[in-house]
Amino acid sequence: MKFFIDTANLAQIREANDLGILDGVTTNPSLMAKEGIKGYDAVMQHYLDICSAVDGDISAEVIATDFAGMVREGEELASLSDKIVVKIPMIKEGIKAITYFSRKGIKTNCTLVFSAGQALLAAKAGATYVSPFIGRIDDASWDGVGLIEQIVGIYGNYEANTQILAASIRNPLHIVKCAEVGADVVTCPLDAILGLLQHPLTDIGLAKFLADAQKMN
Ligand code: E4P
């Protein structure tokens, strides 16, 4: 399973990348705004900075919601680097845009996916990634990991090329559960990735080893 980090914060991206386990980055307009990135030039430069920091796929989201606008923005984003994946919302115009980019060999990430039917359409359009938002589904009292499992089953029936990118991850358990059901990718906040490191028995065991190591001096 690939690990992406879900942030536009360069310090966090570099910290995750330094672990040596990072395969890519996802951003969205909310995450970019949170970092105070404003204006066309600053946005483009920020994507370039992320591309320089990480060797992997970097999702950059279009703002337009019409086909022509998505194509224009997506082509500008894709021209920044081969690492850029054009992130497109799961709407009718978005499916048209994903089909367009797929035929041109430009990578896409179909975002804001909340049902198996939407995931089926994204794959049919040729999306490189489909992003079901499992945390937001859980927040609404549905089963986010259950949706990932359902999509894994459906894609498996047809050997779909679209990679299932579990998004809106809230905690380390979400990551483990996504791995259990066969997600291709998880995109996570840094805290959720670092949370995987934690176990009290590791801390207790290390403290004991270090204390005993003193006796070896
Ligand atoms: C996906 O690519 C989105 O950026 C993200 O995972 C949404 O997560 P949130 O529900 O925590 O905003």
Side-chain angles (χ1 to χ4, degrees), residues 165-198:
L165 193 171
S168 186
I169 296 273
R170 300 270 192 259
N171 53 54
L173 186 59
H174 265 156
I175 300 175
V176 172
K177 291 285 173 195
C178 284
E180 278 180 1
V181 300
D184 298 293
V185 190
V186 281
T187 189
C188 323
L190 181 61
D191 283 353
I193 298 174
L194 296 180
L196 290 172
L197 291 165
Q198 300 303 322

mmCIF file of all heavy atoms in Angstrom, residues 165-198:
data_model
loop_
_atom_site.group_PDB
_atom_site.id
_atom_site.type_symbol
_atom_site.label_atom_id
_atom_site.label_comp_id
_atom_site.label_asym_id
_atom_site.label_seq_id
_atom_site.Cartn_x
_atom_site.Cartn_y
_atom_site.Cartn_z
ATOM 1 N N LEU A 165 -7.650 5.275 -3.618
ATOM 2 C CA LEU A 165 -6.877 6.157 -2.728
ATOM 3 C C LEU A 165 -7.789 6.548 -1.552
ATOM 4 O O LEU A 165 -8.635 7.436 -1.702
ATOM 5 C CB LEU A 165 -6.437 7.384 -3.534
ATOM 6 C CG LEU A 165 -5.379 8.340 -3.001
ATOM 7 C CD1 LEU A 165 -4.982 9.341 -4.083
ATOM 8 C CD2 LEU A 165 -5.784 9.069 -1.762
ATOM 9 N N ALA A 166 -7.657 5.859 -0.449
ATOM 10 C CA ALA A 166 -8.521 6.146 0.707
ATOM 11 C C ALA A 166 -8.134 7.512 1.280
ATOM 12 O O ALA A 166 -6.991 7.721 1.684
ATOM 13 C CB ALA A 166 -8.381 5.055 1.760
ATOM 14 N N ALA A 167 -9.108 8.431 1.291
ATOM 15 C CA ALA A 167 -8.854 9.812 1.721
ATOM 16 C C ALA A 167 -9.677 10.124 2.959
ATOM 17 O O ALA A 167 -10.485 9.308 3.400
ATOM 18 C CB ALA A 167 -9.195 10.766 0.588
ATOM 19 N N SER A 168 -9.429 11.329 3.498
ATOM 20 C CA SER A 168 -10.133 11.757 4.710
ATOM 21 C C SER A 168 -9.863 10.765 5.844
ATOM 22 O O SER A 168 -10.754 10.404 6.598
ATOM 23 C CB SER A 168 -11.639 11.884 4.408
ATOM 24 O OG SER A 168 -12.349 12.417 5.483
ATOM 25 N N ILE A 169 -8.603 10.361 5.923
ATOM 26 C CA ILE A 169 -8.159 9.454 6.986
ATOM 27 C C ILE A 169 -8.046 10.265 8.276
ATOM 28 O O ILE A 169 -7.497 11.360 8.268
ATOM 29 C CB ILE A 169 -6.760 8.873 6.614
ATOM 30 C CG1 ILE A 169 -6.847 8.018 5.353
ATOM 31 C CG2 ILE A 169 -6.120 8.164 7.802
ATOM 32 C CD1 ILE A 169 -7.196 6.596 5.531
ATOM 33 N N ARG A 170 -8.554 9.717 9.366
ATOM 34 C CA ARG A 170 -8.562 10.465 10.633
ATOM 35 C C ARG A 170 -7.553 9.950 11.661
ATOM 36 O O ARG A 170 -7.174 10.670 12.570
ATOM 37 C CB ARG A 170 -9.948 10.390 11.271
ATOM 38 C CG ARG A 170 -11.069 10.967 10.427
ATOM 39 C CD ARG A 170 -11.257 12.441 10.714
ATOM 40 N NE ARG A 170 -12.482 12.914 10.129
ATOM 41 C CZ ARG A 170 -12.551 13.591 8.982
ATOM 42 N NH1 ARG A 170 -11.463 13.881 8.318
ATOM 43 N NH2 ARG A 170 -13.721 13.999 8.523
ATOM 44 N N ASN A 171 -7.171 8.665 11.562
ATOM 45 C CA ASN A 171 -6.356 8.078 12.642
ATOM 46 C C ASN A 171 -5.600 6.850 12.134
ATOM 47 O O ASN A 171 -5.874 6.351 11.040
ATOM 48 C CB ASN A 171 -7.272 7.702 13.823
ATOM 49 C CG ASN A 171 -8.434 6.834 13.365
ATOM 50 O OD1 ASN A 171 -8.212 5.803 12.727
ATOM 51 N ND2 ASN A 171 -9.661 7.238 13.653
ATOM 52 N N PRO A 172 -4.659 6.338 12.951
ATOM 53 C CA PRO A 172 -3.872 5.166 12.518
ATOM 54 C C PRO A 172 -4.726 3.932 12.242
ATOM 55 O O PRO A 172 -4.407 3.142 11.352
ATOM 56 C CB PRO A 172 -2.932 4.914 13.709
ATOM 57 C CG PRO A 172 -2.914 6.164 14.498
ATOM 58 C CD PRO A 172 -4.214 6.862 14.260
ATOM 59 N N LEU A 173 -5.816 3.755 13.001
ATOM 60 C CA LEU A 173 -6.651 2.568 12.788
ATOM 61 C C LEU A 173 -7.282 2.594 11.389
ATOM 62 O O LEU A 173 -7.403 1.548 10.732
ATOM 63 C CB LEU A 173 -7.746 2.478 13.869
ATOM 64 C CG LEU A 173 -8.600 1.206 13.835
ATOM 65 C CD1 LEU A 173 -7.731 -0.045 13.999
ATOM 66 C CD2 LEU A 173 -9.672 1.245 14.915
ATOM 67 N N HIS A 174 -7.668 3.787 10.922
ATOM 68 C CA HIS A 174 -8.175 3.893 9.548
ATOM 69 C C HIS A 174 -7.139 3.334 8.559
ATOM 70 O O HIS A 174 -7.488 2.639 7.601
ATOM 71 C CB HIS A 174 -8.422 5.368 9.192
ATOM 72 C CG HIS A 174 -9.827 5.837 9.408
ATOM 73 N ND1 HIS A 174 -10.146 7.152 9.622
ATOM 74 C CD2 HIS A 174 -11.009 5.155 9.411
ATOM 75 C CE1 HIS A 174 -11.461 7.282 9.760
ATOM 76 N NE2 HIS A 174 -12.001 6.085 9.642
ATOM 77 N N ILE A 175 -5.861 3.660 8.794
ATOM 78 C CA ILE A 175 -4.802 3.212 7.871
ATOM 79 C C ILE A 175 -4.718 1.683 7.874
ATOM 80 O O ILE A 175 -4.673 1.038 6.819
ATOM 81 C CB ILE A 175 -3.439 3.838 8.258
ATOM 82 C CG1 ILE A 175 -3.517 5.370 8.202
ATOM 83 C CG2 ILE A 175 -2.330 3.306 7.351
ATOM 84 C CD1 ILE A 175 -2.257 6.088 8.693
ATOM 85 N N VAL A 176 -4.717 1.108 9.075
ATOM 86 C CA VAL A 176 -4.606 -0.352 9.188
ATOM 87 C C VAL A 176 -5.819 -1.029 8.546
ATOM 88 O O VAL A 176 -5.690 -2.009 7.801
ATOM 89 C CB VAL A 176 -4.465 -0.760 10.677
ATOM 90 C CG1 VAL A 176 -4.540 -2.268 10.841
ATOM 91 C CG2 VAL A 176 -3.151 -0.220 11.246
ATOM 92 N N LYS A 177 -7.005 -0.483 8.800
ATOM 93 C CA LYS A 177 -8.227 -1.071 8.237
ATOM 94 C C LYS A 177 -8.226 -0.979 6.706
ATOM 95 O O LYS A 177 -8.672 -1.905 6.013
ATOM 96 C CB LYS A 177 -9.481 -0.380 8.801
ATOM 97 C CG LYS A 177 -9.724 -0.668 10.267
ATOM 98 C CD LYS A 177 -10.263 -2.089 10.434
ATOM 99 C CE LYS A 177 -10.381 -2.509 11.881
ATOM 100 N NZ LYS A 177 -10.565 -3.958 12.038
ATOM 101 N N CYS A 178 -7.717 0.136 6.179
ATOM 102 C CA CYS A 178 -7.641 0.267 4.716
ATOM 103 C C CYS A 178 -6.678 -0.765 4.132
ATOM 104 O O CYS A 178 -6.926 -1.324 3.056
ATOM 105 C CB CYS A 178 -7.191 1.693 4.338
ATOM 106 S SG CYS A 178 -8.524 2.884 4.520
ATOM 107 N N ALA A 179 -5.584 -1.016 4.858
ATOM 108 C CA ALA A 179 -4.632 -2.041 4.393
ATOM 109 C C ALA A 179 -5.292 -3.419 4.418
ATOM 110 O O ALA A 179 -5.095 -4.234 3.509
ATOM 111 C CB ALA A 179 -3.379 -2.018 5.268
ATOM 112 N N GLU A 180 -6.083 -3.684 5.454
ATOM 113 C CA GLU A 180 -6.751 -4.998 5.570
ATOM 114 C C GLU A 180 -7.672 -5.267 4.380
ATOM 115 O O GLU A 180 -7.775 -6.398 3.909
ATOM 116 C CB GLU A 180 -7.591 -5.052 6.855
ATOM 117 C CG GLU A 180 -6.797 -5.369 8.096
ATOM 118 C CD GLU A 180 -7.669 -5.410 9.357
ATOM 119 O OE1 GLU A 180 -8.895 -5.211 9.268
ATOM 120 O OE2 GLU A 180 -7.105 -5.643 10.425
ATOM 121 N N VAL A 181 -8.371 -4.219 3.920
ATOM 122 C CA VAL A 181 -9.351 -4.462 2.853
ATOM 123 C C VAL A 181 -8.760 -4.224 1.462
ATOM 124 O O VAL A 181 -9.445 -4.410 0.462
ATOM 125 C CB VAL A 181 -10.646 -3.629 3.044
ATOM 126 C CG1 VAL A 181 -11.313 -3.994 4.366
ATOM 127 C CG2 VAL A 181 -10.396 -2.132 2.946
ATOM 128 N N GLY A 182 -7.493 -3.834 1.393
ATOM 129 C CA GLY A 182 -6.815 -3.785 0.092
ATOM 130 C C GLY A 182 -6.842 -2.455 -0.635
ATOM 131 O O GLY A 182 -6.772 -2.429 -1.870
ATOM 132 N N ALA A 183 -6.912 -1.323 0.104
ATOM 133 C CA ALA A 183 -6.768 -0.019 -0.566
ATOM 134 C C ALA A 183 -5.384 0.040 -1.220
ATOM 135 O O ALA A 183 -4.420 -0.511 -0.689
ATOM 136 C CB ALA A 183 -6.910 1.116 0.451
ATOM 137 N N ASP A 184 -5.294 0.695 -2.369
ATOM 138 C CA ASP A 184 -3.989 0.829 -3.033
ATOM 139 C C ASP A 184 -3.143 1.908 -2.357
ATOM 140 O O ASP A 184 -1.916 1.817 -2.332
ATOM 141 C CB ASP A 184 -4.190 1.212 -4.508
ATOM 142 C CG ASP A 184 -4.947 0.140 -5.264
ATOM 143 O OD1 ASP A 184 -4.393 -0.959 -5.432
ATOM 144 O OD2 ASP A 184 -6.100 0.404 -5.668
ATOM 145 N N VAL A 185 -3.813 2.955 -1.888
ATOM 146 C CA VAL A 185 -3.126 4.126 -1.333
ATOM 147 C C VAL A 185 -3.943 4.634 -0.148
ATOM 148 O O VAL A 185 -5.175 4.560 -0.165
ATOM 149 C CB VAL A 185 -3.073 5.283 -2.374
ATOM 150 C CG1 VAL A 185 -2.148 6.395 -1.903
ATOM 151 C CG2 VAL A 185 -2.688 4.799 -3.756
ATOM 152 N N VAL A 186 -3.252 5.169 0.865
ATOM 153 C CA VAL A 186 -3.938 5.969 1.890
ATOM 154 C C VAL A 186 -3.305 7.356 1.858
ATOM 155 O O VAL A 186 -2.089 7.470 1.732
ATOM 156 C CB VAL A 186 -3.804 5.382 3.314
ATOM 157 C CG1 VAL A 186 -4.755 4.227 3.532
ATOM 158 C CG2 VAL A 186 -2.365 4.986 3.628
ATOM 159 N N THR A 187 -4.127 8.389 1.957
ATOM 160 C CA THR A 187 -3.570 9.734 2.109
ATOM 161 C C THR A 187 -3.960 10.238 3.487
ATOM 162 O O THR A 187 -5.139 10.258 3.854
ATOM 163 C CB THR A 187 -3.980 10.698 0.983
ATOM 164 O OG1 THR A 187 -3.200 11.900 1.157
ATOM 165 C CG2 THR A 187 -5.461 11.025 0.938
ATOM 166 N N CYS A 188 -2.936 10.594 4.271
ATOM 167 C CA CYS A 188 -3.131 10.764 5.713
ATOM 168 C C CYS A 188 -2.529 12.067 6.208
ATOM 169 O O CYS A 188 -1.489 12.500 5.718
ATOM 170 C CB CYS A 188 -2.390 9.662 6.468
ATOM 171 S SG CYS A 188 -2.400 8.060 5.689
ATOM 172 N N PRO A 189 -3.131 12.634 7.275
ATOM 173 C CA PRO A 189 -2.429 13.699 7.988
ATOM 174 C C PRO A 189 -1.156 13.117 8.622
ATOM 175 O O PRO A 189 -1.115 11.911 8.922
ATOM 176 C CB PRO A 189 -3.419 14.123 9.080
ATOM 177 C CG PRO A 189 -4.703 13.442 8.780
ATOM 178 C CD PRO A 189 -4.412 12.286 7.869
ATOM 179 N N LEU A 190 -0.154 13.977 8.843
ATOM 180 C CA LEU A 190 1.107 13.505 9.435
ATOM 181 C C LEU A 190 0.877 12.785 10.760
ATOM 182 O O LEU A 190 1.500 11.749 11.026
ATOM 183 C CB LEU A 190 2.060 14.701 9.637
ATOM 184 C CG LEU A 190 3.425 14.368 10.235
ATOM 185 C CD1 LEU A 190 4.205 13.409 9.345
ATOM 186 C CD2 LEU A 190 4.224 15.639 10.493
ATOM 187 N N ASP A 191 -0.031 13.320 11.604
ATOM 188 C CA ASP A 191 -0.284 12.711 12.918
ATOM 189 C C ASP A 191 -0.728 11.253 12.799
ATOM 190 O O ASP A 191 -0.367 10.428 13.637
ATOM 191 C CB ASP A 191 -1.390 13.471 13.665
ATOM 192 C CG ASP A 191 -0.868 14.768 14.245
ATOM 193 O OD1 ASP A 191 0.359 14.987 14.176
ATOM 194 O OD2 ASP A 191 -1.684 15.555 14.760
ATOM 195 N N ALA A 192 -1.549 10.953 11.797
ATOM 196 C CA ALA A 192 -2.033 9.575 11.643
ATOM 197 C C ALA A 192 -0.884 8.653 11.243
ATOM 198 O O ALA A 192 -0.808 7.508 11.706
ATOM 199 C CB ALA A 192 -3.156 9.520 10.605
ATOM 200 N N ILE A 193 0.015 9.153 10.395
ATOM 201 C CA ILE A 193 1.179 8.329 10.010
ATOM 202 C C ILE A 193 2.061 8.091 11.233
ATOM 203 O O ILE A 193 2.437 6.955 11.527
ATOM 204 C CB ILE A 193 2.000 9.017 8.891
ATOM 205 C CG1 ILE A 193 1.151 9.191 7.627
ATOM 206 C CG2 ILE A 193 3.265 8.206 8.586
ATOM 207 C CD1 ILE A 193 1.825 9.995 6.518
ATOM 208 N N LEU A 194 2.359 9.164 11.975
ATOM 209 C CA LEU A 194 3.238 9.028 13.139
ATOM 210 C C LEU A 194 2.579 8.184 14.223
ATOM 211 O O LEU A 194 3.270 7.505 14.990
ATOM 212 C CB LEU A 194 3.615 10.412 13.685
ATOM 213 C CG LEU A 194 4.436 11.287 12.731
ATOM 214 C CD1 LEU A 194 4.752 12.634 13.371
ATOM 215 C CD2 LEU A 194 5.729 10.588 12.299
ATOM 216 N N GLY A 195 1.252 8.196 14.263
ATOM 217 C CA GLY A 195 0.522 7.392 15.245
ATOM 218 C C GLY A 195 0.775 5.901 15.071
ATOM 219 O O GLY A 195 0.676 5.128 16.035
ATOM 220 N N LEU A 196 1.106 5.491 13.842
ATOM 221 C CA LEU A 196 1.384 4.066 13.601
ATOM 222 C C LEU A 196 2.609 3.592 14.383
ATOM 223 O O LEU A 196 2.767 2.396 14.640
ATOM 224 C CB LEU A 196 1.627 3.815 12.103
ATOM 225 C CG LEU A 196 0.415 3.940 11.175
ATOM 226 C CD1 LEU A 196 0.861 3.850 9.731
ATOM 227 C CD2 LEU A 196 -0.620 2.860 11.485
ATOM 228 N N LEU A 197 3.494 4.554 14.722
ATOM 229 C CA LEU A 197 4.724 4.186 15.444
ATOM 230 C C LEU A 197 4.449 3.796 16.895
ATOM 231 O O LEU A 197 5.261 3.100 17.514
ATOM 232 C CB LEU A 197 5.679 5.397 15.488
ATOM 233 C CG LEU A 197 6.321 5.851 14.191
ATOM 234 C CD1 LEU A 197 6.913 7.243 14.359
ATOM 235 C CD2 LEU A 197 7.408 4.856 13.797
ATOM 236 N N GLN A 198 3.314 4.260 17.420
ATOM 237 C CA GLN A 198 3.125 4.217 18.869
ATOM 238 C C GLN A 198 2.656 2.869 19.394
ATOM 239 O O GLN A 198 1.717 2.282 18.861
ATOM 240 C CB GLN A 198 2.084 5.283 19.288
ATOM 241 C CG GLN A 198 2.473 6.699 18.929
ATOM 242 C CD GLN A 198 3.817 7.099 19.524
ATOM 243 O OE1 GLN A 198 4.132 6.725 20.649
ATOM 244 N NE2 GLN A 198 4.615 7.832 18.759
#
